[in-house]
Amino acid sequence: METIEKTRSFPNRLICYFVGLFIMTAGIAISVKSNLGVSPVSSIPYTVTRCWGLEMGKATILFHCVLVLIQVLILRKRFQLKSLLQIPVGIVFGYFTTFCNYLMTFAPTVHNFALRIGMCLVSIVLVAIGIFFYMPANIMPLAGEGVMQAVSEVTKIAFPKVKVAFDLTMVVISLTTCLLVLHQFGSVGIGTILAAVLVGVVLGQIMRIWATIQKRKLAQ
């Protein structure tokens, strides 16, 4: 992934950044359509949508703004003003979410459980591909990652451990809210578990394939 960042100009990195965000939201929209639960970081906005009817893209924008505020509270004087750019990025991400969910309204509703699991797996692959494009661009992290980085910086706890705790917290909050308001799991389901476990695994495979391709190119 370092190779991507070093060999691309800023305009190309910017394109990869937004392409990655769009692919991620496409994956999220497919997971929503499967109705088997969304990834942990998307569970809060989807919970807001399920419980109070706020459109998911708008709920996503609101969630990102709250996450930036949390970063300010955690970091205080160490908070960098450039991190406020996470808000416009969150707005773009929210509009991408709205658009992709709109596109999925044209897809038929699937009732077969095996096909719905298949949709979850496609969603996971797309999210992993999106991350593969988005992260190496090194433009601006999404607000969720910003919070995790802030917690890791203040507590000195390794980032991977903070991510596990963050994802678990999102799932617990979403599940509790849905159970209290809807009396059902709502935004949390088997798709949430699959996403939590498999996105990192799929991303790792994509990175290995990319590294192999780059080695072959260098050997030629």
Side-chain angles (χ1 to χ4, degrees):
M1 296 180 77
E2 292 179 357
T3 305
I4 298 177
E5 182 181 341
K6 291 178 180 179
T7 58
R8 290 180 177 172
S9 63
F10 179 77
N12 287 337
R13 284 165 50 208
L14 194 63
I15 291 171
C16 286
Y17 180 81
F18 285 109
V19 167
L21 292 183
F22 184 81
I23 294 174
M24 287 172 66
T25 56
I28 293 169
I30 292 175
S31 68
V32 170
K33 189 71 176 182
S34 75
N35 199 28
L36 288 177
V38 296
S39 62
V41 73
S42 301
S43 61
I44 295 288
Y46 191 40
T47 295
V48 173
T49 298
R50 291 290 302 270
C51 293
W52 294 287
L54 182 64
E55 191 273 321
M56 189 174 174
K58 294 178 181 178
T60 298
I61 293 171
L62 178 62
F63 182 53
H64 278 245
C65 291
V66 170
L67 290 177
V68 172
L69 176 60
I70 291 174
Q71 292 176 56
V72 173
L73 295 175
I74 292 174
L75 293 173
R76 298 180 183 274
K77 293 182 179 180
R78 283 183 285 180
F79 180 82
Q80 298 182 358
L81 289 179
K82 68 177 183 179
S83 296
L84 290 175
L85 290 174
Q86 292 172 23
I87 293 177
V89 169
I91 292 173
V92 172
F93 196 76
Y95 278 109
F96 280 172
T97 300
T98 298
F99 181 67
C100 289
N101 281 334
Y102 168 73
L103 291 180
M104 289 306 298
T105 61
F106 296 99
T109 300
V110 178
H111 299 286
N112 182 278
F113 184 74
L115 291 178
R116 291 164 66 195
I117 289 292
M119 291 174 68
C120 285
L121 295 177
V122 170
S123 166
I124 288 167
V125 171
L126 287 177
V127 170
I129 292 173
I131 294 172
F132 177 75
F133 277 93
Y134 141 77
M135 285 189 64
N138 195 28
I139 304 294
M140 177 61 59
L142 289 170
E145 289 183 344
V147 167
M148 289 183 264
Q149 290 172 352
V151 172
S152 178
E153 178 182 336
V154 170
T155 63
K156 307 303 180 183
I157 299 174
F159 183 85
K161 293 182 179 179
V162 173
K163 177 171 174 50
V164 171
F166 179 84
D167 287 350
L168 182 59
T169 301
M170 297 300 100
V171 171
V172 170
I173 292 173
S174 299
L175 182 59
T176 303
T177 303
C178 287
L179 288 174
L180 289 175
V181 177
L182 302 175
H183 308 294
Q184 55 180 280
F185 289 160
S187 61
V188 178
I190 189 171
T192 307
I193 299 172
L194 290 174
V197 173
L198 294 179
V199 167
V201 174
V202 174
L203 178 59
Q205 291 298 322
I206 293 172
M207 290 172 61
R208 277 190 279 273
I209 292 171
W210 173 259
T212 300
I213 292 173
Q214 292 303 300
K215 288 179 181 178
R216 288 177 180 175
K217 285 183 178 181
L218 291 173
Q220 291 177 353

